Amino acid sequence: MARPGSGLLVPINGLGYPPQNLARVVVWEWLNEHGRWRPYSAAVCHHIENVLKGDARGSVVLGQVDAQLSPYIIDLQSMHQFRQDTGTMRPVQRNFYEPSSAPGKGVVWEWENDNGSWTPYDMEICVTIQNAYEKQHPWLDLTSLGFCYLIDFNSMSQTNRQSQRKRRLRRRMDLAYPLIMGSIPKSQSWPVGASSGQPCSCQQCILVNSTRAASNAILASQRRKLYGGTAGNPGATGTLTVVRQSNTFAGTSLWSPTSGSSGTNNNNISVGGGQAKAEQVQLPLSTANFPCSPVMPSLSSAHGHHALTINGQNNLNRPGTQRISMGTARGAIPPGVPALPVKNLTGSGPVHPALAGMTGILMCAAGLPVCLTRAPKPILHPPPINKSDMKPVPGINGMRRKTKKKHLRRETSNVLEGCERNGKNPEDVVRRYTEKIKVLPDEDCTICMERLVMSSGYEGVLQHKGIKPELVGKLGKCGHMYHLLCLVAMYNNGNKDGSLQCPTCKTIYGEKTGTQPPGKMEYHVIPHCLPGYPDSKTIRIVYDIPAGIQTNEHPNPGKKFSARGFPRHCYLPDNEKGRKVLKLLIMAWDRRLIFTIGTSSTTGESDTVVWNEIHHKTEFGSNLTGHGYPDPNYLDNVLTELSAQGVGEDNLKE
């Protein structure tokens, strides 16, 4: 399906500009951890455009228009979004759409998440949905956009075509996105003083200047890593010179690099100032990333020994987060920025991580005492456990499942031989699960997209004895109809394991097997409880799959595949429903359905082992990543996902 109204992006100096005298709707977007561009709201985009008109190299404080975005700042020069409390940098882009598209009309399409709140679709998906809605299509298949969802406009619902899970969706009217005409002229640097040309010393400008300093420092640090350069004094470990900024204020750089180091502190920042007794303050990365004045680069006086030390080990360790590890350095104080110390308050409460960076800057500028703590980290694993404390799961035999290459070869051979002995050739499999139709409906075959009253699109391409191109069959359980020759072609492109899956509703006929590479699965009970299950112990599942060579059933036979993050630890509550889920997971493992080889949606790496549409909880003691507990709906959801793979509760009875 074509993508109507898809964005047109013309990058010029990091910003997209439409051609002259062409009206376009502007949508600003940020790149999330899954590689998807997520749109800012219309109000935020208007705010960004207003700042952009003043200075194409300025900085945008998103908290000025949306309180929920208070930790975020966009640096227009580097086209990155900063989160101040964690130091996370994400690329942003300026995208253009037709004025008649959804953003130009202020139409927002949203789906209901597990918390009962509404989440907007990606903008290109929103444009596609609105286009189909305006053309009065009864439904829309999002498969062509990379999503296995079916949109039903009559019931206003979204259905996962694999799990058959339905979610509500809605269409609402909001503020239209900004409309521009032609290119945008360049302007002077921002922010500057009103009349003197000196940097403004208000709290807002201090915040923006500090953000830009951190942005340039991070980007320069990455360049040094890329080219292997050394800054500062090569004789001092962990020393670097503060980077000169690209923006200038009245001819003076924001930070002037000078040489020097203090001692042999590795990955520490020492700040001198005043004749006070030395004390140390532990600060998070957010403070290191956002200096508010002379407090971040090393400033020392000849007679002072008051020191502020920031340990490099306190940096947050998160995927997708770019961090600074700075050595001791000295920098000049920017003109117009007050030099005020940050004090340590023993015993005072921490600042909430979402506002840590901004709060520290503003309180520092006002001369108020600050005490910051690191943002919480996910608890991925339980405390250390002795082997004697690992017990078998009640009601389940053994504690391990293992699959070797020779087992896979033997299994494949047995399946093929069994298919021949039992008459499970493609024609017999298709005939087993279908009924012939004499009176043909005026519908399309969704496999070849030809009308059912016409011959199959595989006529002349595929020939099988006893199956004519014009024959049509109806699947027994779901009742969907296809050309029999099309079903044979679909079966030949699969695992040829004697099972058949309806391409429309995903109903499985027979026993479905997957392409999971060899490995092992272990499971046992540990004497700890999960959040939300205080009265139950925990079932721990350990998956371990090594890297190897792809076979004929995989995307690229003969090519190596990687296996990242193994062994992977997963957790279930040790109660009746948790044991039921474990039994079904063991069955799915034996059928090779837990993992497959493909492209990682997190890293974008291809030819690697990835999860196969059966979600697991990999976070033991928290739920910061969304893959932990408490989650009262998880066990029901994973049962639904297992059923969609043909592993249902009825299999346990058999």
Side-chain angles (χ1 to χ4, degrees), residues 379-383 526 528-531 538 571 618-622 628-629:
I379 303 173
L380 300 179
H381 303 290
I526 58 176
H528 299 285
C529 59
L530 294 166
T538 299
Y571 304 95
T618 56
E619 193 175 342
F620 172 77
S622 57
Y629 295 92

Side-chain angles (χ1 to χ4, degrees), residues 567-600:
R568 299 187 185 183
H569 293 229
C570 310
Y571 304 95
L572 293 168
D574 183 26
N575 55 24
E576 183 179 356
K577 185 174 284 189
R579 295 178 201 131
K580 180 192 297 183
V581 170
L582 176 61
K583 291 178 182 178
L584 294 175
L585 287 175
I586 294 173
M587 190 176 298
W589 172 269
D590 291 339
R591 296 183 185 180
R592 304 170 62 207
L593 295 170
I594 301 292
F595 297 96
T596 187
I597 295 177
T599 301
S600 171

Side-chain angles (χ1 to χ4, degrees), residues 231-244:
N233 185 357
T237 304
T239 301
L240 70 88
T241 304
V242 180
V243 185
R244 182 180 296 276

